[in-house]
Amino acid sequence: MNTAEQITPTVEPSEPLPWAEICARYPDQYVCLLDVVPVERWSPAIATGRVAGHGPTRLDASALVREDVRITRWSVVYTGEPTKPLRRPPVFFE
Amino acid sequence: MKISRPFIRLGELLLVHAEIRGPRATMTARLVFDTGAAATTLVPEFIEALGYSARDGGQPKRMHSALSEEEGYTLEVAELSVLGVMTPNFEIHVFDLDRQGFDGLLGMNFLRHFNFEVRPAEQRICVELISGDWKPVTDGG
């Protein structure tokens, strides 16, 4: 085992889970998903995914995955119902 | 050429699938199809996970609204694929949208390059390229 392998944290994602099961296990938080299968090609709706992290913020959920250089593709999704209204950045910059 | 892609609803918002490539990772995103937004926008946490930081963007800029003044910045992501087309080096705004459920807004600096048609009954958006350096994609966006 080389040095890089020794310091790389090991991400142990779950088995593929249906989206409803992910929401039930990790309610109202962010989940970091690998191997996402959409309900339809190019759809943002998730059929299944492997949970590799979870937490109250996007960065908490993906903390381990971001440390693992072997993983280069993932999604972070919120499992609850958003409660705040949409806001847009103001268009005027200086 | 016309391209059709599915969307899902989040309340009254329409969310589309996108893939965005950065120096660290390629991440899938849920973007609001937002004709009311001038700029395509991503939240800072998403940008950080892609491998960018505020230092990769321009100088921090103050954004003024009638009610507030907040800081944000712009940067070019390596590649954006959404609604079936891919473009390299696309400029996005980085701004804290302070809301769960999506990663950013697909704004008019992207959408103005297309004729588009929202078909709510079918939950699909059809786009037709009218300008710009865009390539259809068969995977991802």
Side-chain angles (χ1 to χ4, degrees):
Chain A
M1 180 181 294
N2 62 34
T3 304
E5 288 171 333
Q6 288 173 351
I7 63 174
T8 299
T10 302
V11 176
E12 296 183 358
S14 70
E15 71 278 18
L17 297 171
W19 175 243
E21 176 68 21
I22 294 171
C23 294
R25 287 194 192 186
Y26 310 102
D28 301 320
Q29 57 190 293
Y30 288 94
V31 289
C32 181
L33 301 179
L34 309 181
D35 304 327
V36 170
V37 177
V39 297
E40 175 189 357
R41 199 174 188 197
W42 295 306
S43 172
I46 296 167
T48 64
R50 293 156 62 90
V51 179
H54 62 96
T57 71
R58 287 179 171 85
L59 291 179
D60 289 333
S62 62
L64 272 180
V65 165
R66 286 183 288 113
E67 293 294 315
D68 190 334
V69 295
R70 296 165 299 185
I71 301 175
T72 60
R73 191 181 192 87
W74 67 86
S75 305
V76 177
V77 187
Y78 189 69
T79 60
E81 289 291 324
T83 56
K84 297 180 179 177
L86 173 66
R87 70 174 194 153
R88 299 182 174 100
V91 296
F92 300 107
F93 284 86
E94 72 174 21
Chain B
M1 182 177 67
K2 282 190 177 179
I3 300 169
S4 167
R5 288 291 181 267
F7 68 81
I8 60 173
R9 289 180 57 176
L10 180 68
E12 294 305 311
L13 304 176
L14 310 184
L15 303 187
V16 296
H17 169 89
E19 291 200 0
I20 301 164
R21 183 165 60 85
R24 166 66 183 87
T26 298
M27 294 178 62
T28 61
R30 288 175 164 182
L31 302 183
V32 178
F33 181 87
D34 190 359
T35 57
T40 297
T41 302
L42 292 169
V43 298
E45 296 89 345
F46 189 93
I47 284 295
E48 186 175 329
L50 281 174
Y52 294 110
S53 73
R55 281 177 292 183
D56 297 310
Q59 290 293 314
K61 298 175 181 178
R62 294 194 183 282
M63 303 185 200
H64 298 278
S65 70
L67 299 176
S68 65
E69 181 180 278
E70 299 180 53
E71 280 204 346
Y73 60 95
T74 60
L75 64 74
E76 286 188 352
V77 294
E79 190 173 285
L80 168 69
S81 299
V82 64
L83 293 178
V85 292
M86 180 275 287
T87 183
N89 305 320
F90 188 75
E91 183 178 88
I92 56 99
H93 288 206
V94 182
F95 185 80
D96 183 8
L97 298 167
D98 191 28
R99 193 179 193 272
Q100 309 101 334
F102 53 82
D103 303 296
L105 312 175
L106 186 62
M108 287 305 294
N109 68 328
F110 178 90
L111 296 172
R112 65 185 170 84
H113 298 285
F114 304 91
N115 290 324
F116 50 83
E117 177 184 9
V118 179
R119 301 179 69 85
E122 300 161 17
Q123 295 212 313
R124 300 192 77 85
I125 294 171
C126 302
V127 297
E128 180 184 22
L129 178 65
I130 54 176
S131 66
D133 180 22
W134 311 87
K135 296 176 183 174
V137 291
T138 52
D139 279 321

